[in-house]
Amino acid sequence: AQSVAQPEDQVNVAEGNPLTVKCTYSVSGNPYLFWYVQYPNRGLQFLLKYITGDNLVKGSYGFEAEFNKSQTSFHLKKPSALVSDSALYFCAVRDINNAGNMLTFGGGTRLMVKP
Amino acid sequence: DTAVSQTPKYLVTQMGNDKSIKCEQNLGHDTMYWYKQDSKKFLKIMFSYNNKELIINETVPNRFSPKSPDKAHLNLHINSLELGDSAVYFCASSPQTRRTPNYGYTFGSGTRLTVV
């Protein structure tokens, strides 16, 4: 079975400060990891993914995420937050051995960036 | 052009009614999904269709039934609606992932269902 945990319901950060949204995962094999963002009244939008290779992956809107296999984590980061980054963020995992191709999502973390 | 489109965007209906939500994708993807997002924003997979075959059917009530007339469409039918069905329903699609497991999903913008 595969699972994802986002331990923080909400993260508050001041504009211009660095931000981190945490994600840990559990899979039986090698993971494919994804981050999605959901703005109010919108669907989920793809931000970035880790498949293989460099542990630091860069995505849309200046976001990046670091894959840490020993800690089974895939935290989302941005060096300087913008008010427009305020949204709901979802981490997701797919086990490479998952026959159903199902993406399992975490519970989401609301990011609030204050001016 | 919208990649994954859902209609309607909002749906308000009374308990006991039967309703449908439509989903269409123009990406040429092989697999389509329905997710339910509850009031706490938790996303739960409901169904997955691959080339007209149901390949995942999570433990949802049998009042919910997916219908896929072709590879580009996956509609969601709900019979005898209950108050607890109120949620946002998202459609998504992806390529055939046994060949391309590194692809994520493309989501529709959601349908907010309110049962009164």
Side-chain angles (χ1 to χ4, degrees):
Chain A
Q2 55 191 37
S3 64
V4 179
Q6 293 180 242
E8 303 153 315
D9 289 336
Q10 182 161 317
V11 170
N12 298 311
V13 64
E15 188 174 30
N17 284 359
L19 69 88
T20 299
V21 182
K22 296 180 180 178
C23 170
T24 58
Y25 67 89
S26 175
V27 296
S28 58
N30 291 320
Y32 292 141
L33 293 154
F34 302 81
W35 275 101
Y36 286 82
V37 59
Q38 183 180 21
Y39 297 101
N41 301 314
R42 303 289 295 276
L44 277 71
Q45 298 177 30
F46 171 79
L47 270 183
L48 51 79
K49 66 182 178 184
Y50 171 81
I51 304 301
T52 186
D54 195 346
N55 289 344
L56 184 66
V57 293
K58 295 185 183 297
S60 307
Y61 312 120
F63 283 93
E64 57 189 28
E66 186 168 12
F67 171 64
N68 187 317
K69 187 173 184 177
S70 62
Q71 297 184 5
T72 61
S73 66
F74 190 55
H75 301 329
L76 181 69
K77 300 180 180 182
K78 187 173 182 180
S80 178
L82 299 172
V83 173
S84 58
D85 292 331
S86 298
L88 190 58
Y89 290 81
F90 289 93
C91 182
V93 68
R94 175 189 294 130
D95 187 334
I96 191 172
N97 296 318
N98 186 318
N101 176 42
M102 185 175 66
L103 269 185
T104 298
F105 287 85
T109 299
R110 187 169 301 282
L111 174 65
M112 298 290 291
V113 182
K114 298 182 179 180
Chain B
D1 288 338
T2 303
V4 180
S5 60
Q6 298 178 227
T7 54
K9 189 174 178 64
Y10 300 96
L11 181 56
V12 181
T13 187
Q14 291 185 329
M15 285 175 52
N17 284 350
D18 303 336
K19 291 294 179 183
S20 295
I21 305 171
K22 295 184 178 181
C23 178
E24 176 181 5
Q25 56 95 3
N26 62 5
L27 298 166
H29 287 169
D30 297 293
T31 309
M32 296 183 72
Y33 312 84
W34 277 105
Y35 276 82
K36 178 181 180 180
Q37 187 175 45
D38 61 23
S39 58
K40 295 185 177 180
K41 305 300 182 183
F42 185 74
L43 279 165
K44 178 181 177 181
I45 181 89
M46 299 180 71
F47 300 105
S48 171
Y49 253 74
N50 185 342
N51 290 330
K52 298 190 179 183
E53 283 189 70
L54 180 67
I55 59 174
I56 299 175
N57 186 349
E58 293 292 313
T59 55
V60 299
N62 57 16
R63 297 181 294 103
F64 292 79
S65 57
K67 304 289 184 186
S68 182
D70 55 57
K71 196 172 78 168
H73 296 83
L74 182 64
N75 304 324
L76 182 64
H77 297 270
I78 316 170
N79 295 325
S80 302
L81 278 155
E82 301 177 357
L83 293 176
D85 298 333
S86 295
V88 180
Y89 293 84
F90 286 101
C91 178
S93 71
S94 71
Q96 165 52 260
T97 52
R98 290 189 187 279
R99 294 194 296 268
T100 54
N102 55 332
Y103 276 84
Y105 296 175
T106 301
F107 281 85
S109 57
T111 296
R112 183 174 296 278
L113 171 65
T114 304
V115 183
V116 297

